[in-house]
Amino acid sequence: GLAQALGDSQLPVLTVQLNRMFQVADEGSHRRWTQVREAQRQVARTDKQVAVVPALDLPLSDLIHISPAGNLLLGERLARATLGLVYGRSSEYRAPDLQSARRADTQTIQLHFAPVTSRMDSIDLTSHSFRVEDAEGEVPVTQVVFSQDARIQLVLARPLSGKALVHGAWGFDPATVPADMERFLPMLGFYGIEVA
């Protein structure tokens, strides 16, 4: 990777998870944008010298670029990540990241996130950014329930059939994503997580 190319195996790398875009795109773009977010998430999970900062809640100034106001908040998040990753200071910079997805019953999936300093919640309880797929195709999510802790439950329109996958921050323009409300730090987008 970059650290090898520069000859510095301890090189810290800060990256920003892909935000949204408002341009009209084909249906396949939803999957590809979500896959890129997952790749960014995985690099930070496997390489301790890499931090990924969320941006899915930041406003845009055009169809794809973060606005000046959004960049101020992004700069603060990157500064906190620098303090924690580079200087080892106590800094709650890591975004809520999906730890597990489990079947609570035949029509409910429970998602568990960490780190969460208060509770996972949303400023828009009428929308959700999750997609569930199983052996029969897409499984509509009828309700998102916030447990007032690090868990979120997805209530499904039908029972799961066979292997099931869940995606978070689905697509090139996902709906409002849940956040750790004390830090108002949104979850990282994820793709293709098998439901246990």
Side-chain angles (χ1 to χ4, degrees), residues 129-150:
S129 60
F130 300 100
R131 179 180 172 108
V132 177
E133 299 171 328
D134 68 5
E136 296 178 24
E138 183 178 359
V139 184
V141 177
T142 59
Q143 185 180 10
V144 177
V145 179
F146 297 96
S147 304
Q148 301 305 303
D149 55 21

Side-chain angles (χ1 to χ4, degrees), residues 19-25 29 33 60 63-64 172-173:
N19 197 345
R20 62 188 70 242
M21 75 165 181
F22 294 130
Q23 295 174 329
V24 176
S29 294
W33 276 64
L60 302 181
L63 299 176
I64 196 169
F172 56 82
D173 181 21

